[in-house]
Coordinates of all heavy atoms in Angstrom, one line a residue:
K1 N 0.8 -1.2 0.0 CA 0.0 0.0 0.0 C 0.9 1.2 0.0 O 1.8 1.3 0.7 CB -0.9 0.0 1.3 CG -2.1 -0.8 1.2 CD -2.8 -0.6 2.5 CE -4.2 -1.1 2.4 NZ -4.9 -0.9 3.6
L2 N 0.4 2.2 -0.8 CA 1.2 3.5 -0.8 C 0.8 4.4 0.4 O 1.5 5.3 0.7 CB 0.9 4.2 -2.1 CG 1.6 3.6 -3.3 CD1 1.1 4.4 -4.6 CD2 3.1 3.7 -3.2
R3 N -0.3 4.1 1.0 CA -0.7 5.0 2.1 C 0.2 4.9 3.3 O 0.3 5.8 4.1 CB -2.1 4.6 2.6 CG -3.2 5.4 1.9 CD -4.6 5.0 2.4 NE -5.0 5.8 3.5 CZ -6.1 5.6 4.2 NH1 -6.9 4.6 3.8 NH2 -6.4 6.3 5.3
N4 N 0.8 3.7 3.5 CA 1.7 3.5 4.7 C 3.1 3.8 4.3 O 4.0 3.1 4.7 CB 1.6 2.1 5.2 CG 0.2 1.8 5.7 OD1 -0.5 2.6 6.2 ND2 -0.2 0.5 5.6
T5 N 3.3 4.9 3.6 CA 4.7 5.3 3.2 C 5.3 6.1 4.3 O 4.6 6.7 5.2 CB 4.6 6.1 1.9 OG1 6.0 6.4 1.6 CG2 3.8 7.4 2.0
D6 N 6.6 6.1 4.4 CA 7.4 6.9 5.3 C 7.7 8.3 4.8 O 8.3 9.1 5.5 CB 8.7 6.2 5.7 CG 8.4 5.0 6.6 OD1 7.3 5.0 7.3 OD2 9.2 4.0 6.6
V7 N 7.4 8.6 3.5 CA 7.7 9.9 2.9 C 6.7 10.9 3.4 O 5.5 10.7 3.1 CB 7.8 9.7 1.4 CG1 8.1 11.1 0.7 CG2 8.8 8.7 0.9
Y8 N 7.1 11.9 4.0 CA 6.2 12.9 4.6 C 5.4 13.6 3.6 O 4.2 13.8 3.8 CB 7.0 13.9 5.5 CG 6.2 14.9 6.1 CD1 5.4 14.6 7.2 CD2 6.1 16.2 5.6 CE1 4.6 15.6 7.8 CE2 5.3 17.2 6.2 CZ 4.6 16.9 7.3 OH 3.8 17.8 7.9
A9 N 6.0 13.9 2.4 CA 5.3 14.6 1.4 C 4.1 13.8 0.8 O 3.0 14.3 0.6 CB 6.2 15.0 0.3
L10 N 4.4 12.5 0.7 CA 3.3 11.6 0.2 C 2.2 11.4 1.3 O 1.0 11.4 0.9 CB 3.8 10.2 -0.2 CG 4.6 10.2 -1.5 CD1 5.1 8.8 -1.8 CD2 3.7 10.6 -2.6
Q11 N 2.6 11.4 2.5 CA 1.6 11.3 3.6 C 0.6 12.5 3.5 O -0.6 12.4 3.6 CB 2.2 11.2 4.9 CG 2.9 9.9 5.2 CD 3.6 9.9 6.5 OE1 3.7 11.0 7.2 NE2 4.2 8.8 6.9
R12 N 1.2 13.7 3.4 CA 0.5 14.9 3.3 C -0.4 15.0 2.0 O -1.5 15.4 2.1 CB 1.4 16.2 3.3 CG 2.2 16.3 4.6 CD 1.4 16.3 5.8 NE 0.6 17.5 5.9 CZ -0.3 17.8 6.8 NH1 -0.6 16.9 7.7 NH2 -0.9 18.9 6.9
L13 N 0.1 14.5 0.9 CA -0.6 14.5 -0.3 C -1.8 13.6 -0.2 O -2.9 13.9 -0.6 CB 0.3 14.0 -1.5 CG -0.3 14.1 -2.9 CD1 -0.6 15.5 -3.2 CD2 0.7 13.5 -3.9
F14 N -1.6 12.4 0.4 CA -2.8 11.5 0.6 C -3.8 12.1 1.5 O -5.0 11.9 1.3 CB -2.3 10.1 1.1 CG -1.5 9.3 0.2 CD1 -0.4 8.6 0.6 CD2 -1.9 9.2 -1.2 CE1 0.3 7.8 -0.3 CE2 -1.1 8.5 -2.1 CZ 0.0 7.8 -1.6
S15 N -3.4 12.8 2.5 CA -4.3 13.4 3.4 C -5.1 14.5 2.7 O -6.3 14.6 2.9 CB -3.5 14.0 4.6 OG -4.3 14.8 5.5
V16 N -4.4 15.3 1.9 CA -5.1 16.4 1.2 C -6.1 15.8 0.2 O -7.3 16.3 0.1 CB -4.1 17.3 0.4 CG1 -4.8 18.2 -0.6 CG2 -3.3 18.1 1.4
F17 N -5.7 14.7 -0.5 CA -6.6 14.1 -1.4 C -7.8 13.5 -0.7 O -9.0 13.7 -1.2 CB -5.9 13.0 -2.2 CG -6.7 12.2 -3.2 CD1 -7.1 12.8 -4.4 CD2 -7.1 10.9 -2.9 CE1 -7.9 12.2 -5.3 CE2 -7.9 10.3 -3.8 CZ -8.3 10.9 -5.0
R18 N -7.7 12.8 0.4 CA -8.8 12.3 1.2 C -9.7 13.4 1.6 O -10.9 13.3 1.5 CB -8.2 11.5 2.4 CG -9.4 10.8 3.2 CD -8.8 10.1 4.4 NE -8.3 11.1 5.3 CZ -7.0 11.0 5.8 NH1 -6.2 10.0 5.5 NH2 -6.6 11.9 6.7
N19 N -9.2 14.5 2.1 CA -10.0 15.6 2.6 C -10.7 16.2 1.4 O -11.9 16.7 1.5 CB -9.2 16.6 3.3 CG -8.7 16.2 4.7 OD1 -9.4 15.3 5.3 ND2 -7.7 16.7 5.2
L20 N -10.1 16.3 0.3 CA -10.7 16.9 -0.9 C -11.9 16.0 -1.4 O -13.0 16.5 -1.7 CB -9.7 17.0 -2.1 CG -10.2 17.7 -3.3 CD1 -10.5 19.2 -3.1 CD2 -9.1 17.5 -4.4
V21 N -11.7 14.7 -1.4 CA -12.8 13.8 -1.8 C -14.0 13.9 -0.8 O -15.1 14.0 -1.2 CB -12.3 12.4 -2.0 CG1 -13.4 11.4 -2.1 CG2 -11.3 12.3 -3.2
M22 N -13.7 13.8 0.4 CA -14.7 13.9 1.5 C -15.5 15.3 1.4 O -16.7 15.3 1.5 CB -14.1 13.7 2.9 CG -13.7 12.3 3.1 SD -15.0 11.1 2.9 CE -16.1 11.5 4.2
G23 N -14.7 16.3 1.2 CA -15.4 17.6 1.2 C -16.3 17.8 0.0 O -17.4 18.3 0.1
L24 N -15.8 17.4 -1.2 CA -16.6 17.5 -2.4 C -17.8 16.6 -2.3 O -18.9 17.0 -2.8 CB -15.8 17.2 -3.6 CG -14.8 18.3 -4.0 CD1 -13.9 17.8 -5.2 CD2 -15.5 19.6 -4.3
S25 N -17.7 15.4 -1.8 CA -18.8 14.5 -1.7 C -19.9 15.0 -0.7 O -21.1 14.9 -1.0 CB -18.4 13.1 -1.4 OG -17.8 13.0 -0.1
S26 N -19.4 15.6 0.4 CA -20.4 16.1 1.3 C -21.1 17.4 0.8 O -22.3 17.6 1.0 CB -19.8 16.4 2.7 OG -18.8 17.4 2.5
L27 N -20.3 18.2 0.0 CA -20.9 19.4 -0.6 C -22.0 18.9 -1.7 O -23.1 19.5 -1.7 CB -19.8 20.2 -1.3 CG -20.2 21.5 -1.9 CD1 -20.7 22.5 -0.9 CD2 -19.1 22.1 -2.7
A28 N -21.6 17.9 -2.5 CA -22.6 17.5 -3.5 C -23.8 16.8 -2.8 O -24.9 17.0 -3.3 CB -21.9 16.4 -4.4
S29 N -23.6 16.1 -1.7 CA -24.8 15.5 -1.0 C -25.7 16.6 -0.5 O -26.9 16.5 -0.6 CB -24.3 14.7 0.2 OG -23.3 13.8 -0.2
G30 N -25.2 17.6 0.1 CA -26.0 18.7 0.6 C -26.7 19.4 -0.5 O -27.9 19.8 -0.4
F31 N -26.0 19.7 -1.6 CA -26.6 20.4 -2.8 C -27.8 19.5 -3.3 O -28.9 20.1 -3.5 CB -25.6 20.6 -3.9 CG -26.1 21.2 -5.1 CD1 -26.4 22.5 -5.2 CD2 -26.4 20.4 -6.2 CE1 -27.0 23.1 -6.3 CE2 -26.9 21.0 -7.4 CZ -27.2 22.3 -7.4
F32 N -27.6 18.3 -3.6 CA -28.6 17.4 -4.1 C -29.8 17.2 -3.1 O -30.9 17.0 -3.5 CB -28.1 16.1 -4.6 CG -27.3 16.2 -5.9 CD1 -26.0 16.0 -6.0 CD2 -28.0 16.7 -7.1 CE1 -25.3 16.2 -7.2 CE2 -27.3 16.8 -8.2 CZ -25.9 16.6 -8.3
G33 N -29.4 17.2 -1.8 CA -30.5 17.1 -0.8 C -31.4 18.3 -0.8 O -32.6 18.2 -0.7
V34 N -30.8 19.5 -0.9 CA -31.6 20.7 -1.0 C -32.5 20.8 -2.3 O -33.6 21.1 -2.2 CB -30.7 22.0 -0.9 CG1 -31.5 23.3 -1.2 CG2 -30.1 22.1 0.5
V35 N -31.9 20.4 -3.4 CA -32.6 20.3 -4.7 C -33.8 19.3 -4.6 O -34.9 19.6 -5.0 CB -31.7 20.0 -5.8 CG1 -32.5 19.7 -7.1 CG2 -30.7 21.2 -6.1
G36 N -33.5 18.2 -4.0 CA -34.5 17.2 -3.9 C -35.7 17.6 -3.0 O -36.9 17.4 -3.3
M37 N -35.3 18.3 -1.9 CA -36.4 18.8 -1.0 C -37.2 19.9 -1.7 O -38.4 19.9 -1.5 CB -35.7 19.4 0.3 CG -36.7 20.0 1.3 SD -37.8 18.7 2.0 CE -36.6 17.8 3.0
G38 N -36.6 20.7 -2.5 CA -37.3 21.8 -3.2 C -38.2 21.1 -4.2 O -39.4 21.6 -4.4
L39 N -37.8 20.1 -4.9 CA -38.7 19.4 -5.9 C -39.9 18.8 -5.2 O -41.0 18.8 -5.7 CB -37.9 18.4 -6.7 CG -37.0 19.0 -7.8 CD1 -36.1 17.9 -8.4 CD2 -37.7 19.7 -8.8
F40 N -39.6 18.2 -4.1 CA -40.7 17.5 -3.3 C -41.7 18.6 -2.9 O -42.9 18.4 -3.0 CB -40.1 16.8 -2.1 CG -41.2 16.3 -1.2 CD1 -41.9 15.1 -1.6 CD2 -41.4 16.9 0.0 CE1 -42.9 14.6 -0.7 CE2 -42.4 16.4 0.9 CZ -43.1 15.2 0.5
L41 N -41.2 19.7 -2.3 CA -42.1 20.8 -1.9 C -42.9 21.4 -3.1 O -44.1 21.8 -2.9 CB -41.4 21.8 -1.1 CG -40.8 21.4 0.2 CD1 -40.0 22.5 0.9 CD2 -41.9 21.0 1.2
L42 N -42.3 21.5 -4.2 CA -43.0 22.0 -5.4 C -44.1 21.0 -5.8 O -45.2 21.4 -6.2 CB -42.0 22.2 -6.6 CG -42.6 22.6 -7.9 CD1 -43.2 24.0 -7.7 CD2 -41.5 22.6 -9.0
G43 N -43.8 19.7 -5.7 CA -44.8 18.7 -6.0 C -46.0 18.8 -5.0 O -47.2 18.7 -5.4
V44 N -45.7 19.1 -3.8 CA -46.8 19.2 -2.8 C -47.6 20.5 -3.1 O -48.8 20.4 -3.0 CB -46.2 19.3 -1.4 CG1 -47.2 19.8 -0.3 CG2 -45.5 18.0 -0.9
R45 N -46.9 21.5 -3.5 CA -47.6 22.8 -3.8 C -48.5 22.6 -5.0 O -49.7 23.1 -5.1 CB -46.6 23.9 -4.0 CG -47.2 25.2 -4.4 CD -48.1 25.8 -3.3 NE -48.7 27.0 -3.7 CZ -49.9 27.2 -4.2 NH1 -50.7 26.1 -4.3 NH2 -50.4 28.3 -4.5
V46 N -48.0 21.9 -6.0 CA -48.8 21.7 -7.2 C -50.0 20.8 -6.9 O -51.1 21.0 -7.4 CB -48.0 21.1 -8.4 CG1 -48.8 20.6 -9.5 CG2 -47.0 22.2 -8.9
A47 N -49.8 19.8 -6.1 CA -50.9 18.9 -5.7 C -51.9 19.6 -4.9 O -53.2 19.4 -5.1 CB -50.4 17.7 -4.9
Y48 N -51.5 20.5 -4.1 CA -52.5 21.3 -3.3 C -53.2 22.3 -4.3 O -54.5 22.4 -4.1 CB -51.7 22.2 -2.3 CG -52.6 23.2 -1.5 CD1 -53.4 22.7 -0.5 CD2 -52.5 24.5 -1.8 CE1 -54.3 23.6 0.1 CE2 -53.4 25.4 -1.2 CZ -54.2 24.9 -0.2 OH -55.0 25.8 0.5
G49 N -52.6 22.9 -5.2 CA -53.2 23.7 -6.2 C -54.2 23.0 -7.0 O -55.3 23.5 -7.3
V50 N -53.9 21.8 -7.4 CA -54.9 20.9 -8.2 C -56.1 20.5 -7.3 O -57.2 20.6 -7.8 CB -54.2 19.7 -8.8 CG1 -55.2 18.7 -9.4 CG2 -53.2 20.1 -9.9
A51 N -55.8 20.2 -6.1 CA -56.9 19.7 -5.2 C -57.8 20.9 -4.8 O -59.0 20.6 -4.7 CB -56.3 19.2 -3.9
T52 N -57.3 22.1 -4.7 CA -58.2 23.2 -4.4 C -58.8 23.9 -5.6 O -59.7 24.7 -5.5 CB -57.4 24.3 -3.6 OG1 -56.3 24.8 -4.4 CG2 -56.9 23.8 -2.3
G53 N -58.4 23.4 -6.8 CA -59.0 24.0 -8.0 C -58.2 25.2 -8.6 O -58.6 25.8 -9.6
E54 N -57.2 25.6 -7.9 CA -56.4 26.7 -8.4 C -55.7 26.4 -9.7 O -55.6 27.3 -10.6 CB -55.4 27.1 -7.3 CG -54.4 28.2 -7.7 CD -53.4 28.5 -6.6 OE1 -53.4 27.8 -5.6 OE2 -52.5 29.4 -6.9
L55 N -55.2 25.2 -9.8 CA -54.5 24.7 -11.0 C -55.4 23.7 -11.7 O -55.9 22.8 -11.0 CB -53.2 24.1 -10.7 CG -52.2 25.1 -10.0 CD1 -50.9 24.3 -9.6 CD2 -51.8 26.2 -11.0
D56 N -55.5 23.8 -13.0 CA -56.3 22.8 -13.7 C -55.4 22.0 -14.6 O -54.8 22.6 -15.6 CB -57.4 23.5 -14.6 CG -58.4 22.6 -15.2 OD1 -58.3 21.4 -14.9 OD2 -59.2 23.0 -16.1
P57 N -55.2 20.7 -14.4 CA -54.3 19.9 -15.2 C -54.8 19.6 -16.6 O -54.0 19.1 -17.4 CB -54.1 18.7 -14.4 CG -55.4 18.5 -13.6 CD -55.8 19.9 -13.4
T58 N -56.1 19.9 -16.9 CA -56.6 19.5 -18.2 C -56.3 20.7 -19.2 O -56.5 21.8 -18.9 CB -58.1 19.3 -18.2 OG1 -58.7 20.4 -17.7 CG2 -58.4 18.1 -17.3
P59 N -55.9 20.4 -20.4 CA -55.6 21.4 -21.4 C -56.9 22.1 -21.9 O -57.9 21.4 -22.0 CB -54.9 20.7 -22.5 CG -55.3 19.3 -22.4 CD -55.6 19.0 -21.0
I60 N -56.8 23.3 -22.3 CA -58.0 24.0 -22.8 C -58.0 23.8 -24.3 O -57.0 24.1 -25.0 CB -57.9 25.5 -22.5 CG1 -57.8 25.8 -21.0 CG2 -59.0 26.3 -23.2 CD1 -57.5 27.2 -20.6
V61 N -59.1 23.2 -24.8 CA -59.2 22.9 -26.2 C -60.3 23.8 -26.7 O -61.5 23.8 -26.3 CB -59.6 21.4 -26.4 CG1 -59.8 21.2 -27.9 CG2 -58.6 20.5 -25.8
K62 N -60.0 24.6 -27.7 CA -60.9 25.5 -28.4 C -61.2 25.0 -29.8 O -60.3 24.7 -30.5 CB -60.4 27.0 -28.4 CG -60.2 27.6 -27.1 CD -59.8 29.0 -27.2 CE -59.6 29.6 -25.8 NZ -59.1 31.0 -25.9
K63 N -62.5 25.0 -30.1 CA -62.9 24.6 -31.4 C -63.4 25.8 -32.2 O -64.1 26.7 -31.6 CB -64.0 23.6 -31.4 CG -63.5 22.2 -30.9 CD -64.5 21.2 -31.0 CE -64.0 19.8 -30.5 NZ -65.0 18.8 -30.6
N64 N -63.1 25.9 -33.5 CA -63.6 26.9 -34.3 C -65.1 26.7 -34.5 O -65.5 25.6 -35.0 CB -62.9 26.9 -35.7 CG -63.3 28.1 -36.5 OD1 -64.4 28.6 -36.5 ND2 -62.3 28.5 -37.3
P65 N -66.0 27.6 -34.2 CA -67.4 27.4 -34.4 C -67.9 27.1 -35.8 O -68.9 26.5 -36.0 CB -68.1 28.6 -33.8 CG -67.0 29.6 -33.7 CD -65.7 28.9 -33.7
L66 N -67.1 27.7 -36.8 CA -67.5 27.5 -38.2 C -67.1 26.1 -38.7 O -67.9 25.5 -39.4 CB -66.9 28.6 -39.0 CG -67.4 30.0 -38.7 CD1 -66.7 31.1 -39.5 CD2 -68.9 30.1 -38.8
T67 N -65.8 25.7 -38.4 CA -65.3 24.5 -39.0 C -65.4 23.3 -38.1 O -65.4 22.2 -38.5 CB -63.9 24.7 -39.4 OG1 -63.1 25.0 -38.2 CG2 -63.7 25.8 -40.4
G68 N -65.5 23.6 -36.8 CA -65.5 22.5 -35.8 C -64.1 21.9 -35.6 O -63.9 20.9 -34.8
M69 N -63.1 22.5 -36.2 CA -61.7 22.0 -36.0 C -61.1 22.6 -34.7 O -61.4 23.7 -34.3 CB -60.8 22.5 -37.2 CG -61.3 21.9 -38.5 SD -61.1 20.2 -38.8 CE -59.3 20.2 -38.9
V70 N -60.2 21.8 -34.1 CA -59.5 22.3 -32.9 C -58.4 23.3 -33.3 O -57.6 23.1 -34.3 CB -58.8 21.1 -32.2 CG1 -58.0 21.6 -31.0 CG2 -59.8 20.1 -31.8
E71 N -58.4 24.5 -32.6 CA -57.5 25.5 -32.9 C -56.3 25.5 -32.0 O -56.5 25.0 -30.8 CB -58.1 26.9 -32.8 CG -59.2 27.2 -33.8 CD -59.8 28.6 -33.6 OE1 -59.6 29.2 -32.6 OE2 -60.6 29.0 -34.5
K72 N -55.1 25.9 -32.4 CA -54.0 26.0 -31.5 C -54.2 27.2 -30.6 O -54.7 28.2 -31.0 CB -52.7 26.3 -32.3 CG -52.2 25.1 -33.1 CD -50.9 25.4 -33.7 CE -50.4 24.3 -34.6 NZ -49.1 24.6 -35.2
P73 N -53.8 27.0 -29.3 CA -53.9 28.2 -28.4 C -52.9 29.3 -28.9 O -51.9 29.1 -29.5 CB -53.4 27.6 -27.1 CG -53.5 26.1 -27.2 CD -53.4 25.8 -28.6
A74 N -53.3 30.5 -28.6 CA -52.6 31.7 -29.1 C -51.2 31.8 -28.4 O -50.3 32.4 -29.0 CB -53.4 33.0 -28.9
D75 N -51.1 31.2 -27.2 CA -49.8 31.4 -26.5 C -48.7 30.4 -27.0 O -47.6 30.5 -26.5 CB -50.0 31.3 -25.0 CG -50.6 29.9 -24.6 OD1 -51.0 29.2 -25.5 OD2 -50.5 29.6 -23.4
Q76 N -49.0 29.5 -27.8 CA -48.0 28.5 -28.3 C -47.4 29.1 -29.6 O -48.0 29.7 -30.5 CB -48.7 27.2 -28.7 CG -49.1 26.4 -27.5 CD -49.6 25.0 -27.9 OE1 -49.7 24.7 -29.1 NE2 -49.8 24.2 -26.9
V77 N -46.0 29.0 -29.6 CA -45.3 29.5 -30.7 C -45.1 28.3 -31.7 O -44.7 27.2 -31.3 CB -43.9 30.0 -30.2 CG1 -43.0 30.4 -31.4 CG2 -44.0 31.1 -29.2
P78 N -45.4 28.6 -33.0 CA -45.2 27.5 -33.9 C -43.8 27.1 -34.1 O -42.9 27.9 -34.0 CB -45.8 28.0 -35.2 CG -45.8 29.5 -35.1 CD -45.9 29.8 -33.6
N79 N -43.5 25.8 -34.4 CA -42.1 25.4 -34.6 C -41.6 25.7 -35.9 O -42.1 25.6 -36.9 CB -42.0 23.8 -34.4 CG -42.3 23.5 -32.9 OD1 -42.1 24.3 -32.1 ND2 -42.7 22.3 -32.7

């Protein structure tokens, strides 16, 4: 094993590398934990909005009264 070396510079290098890996992994865990909590709370808020009628998950379909054809909503940009 290289970890059990008597060279002081390598001992310090291994220590810095270990601390770097642990620091970055804990930082990433915290970041993804906060993002996951935010997504969960957003889902709860949307579910509450749907349950109270504030948000309607069904799309609005408008038909032309003359042709009976479904029209595109005005807020959609054509591709």
Side-chain angles (χ1 to χ4, degrees):
K1 281 182 161 180
L2 287 175
R3 266 179 90 185
N4 294 332
T5 183
D6 290 334
V7 180
Y8 180 74
L10 284 179
Q11 289 176 353
R12 300 302 292 171
L13 186 65
F14 291 140
S15 174
V16 167
F17 180 72
R18 183 183 65 233
N19 287 337
L20 185 68
V21 168
M22 289 301 295
L24 287 176
S25 61
S26 62
L27 184 67
S29 309
F31 177 76
F32 286 115
V34 169
V35 168
M37 182 64 69
L39 286 173
F40 174 75
L41 292 175
L42 179 63
V44 169
R45 177 65 181 100
V46 168
Y48 174 76
V50 170
T52 59
E54 177 185 358
L55 299 174
D56 188 9
T58 57
I60 299 172
V61 178
K62 292 184 180 179
K63 292 186 177 181
N64 187 329
L66 298 176
T67 63
M69 301 287 291
V70 176
E71 295 180 349
K72 287 185 181 179
D75 60 347
Q76 286 186 353
V77 178
N79 291 336

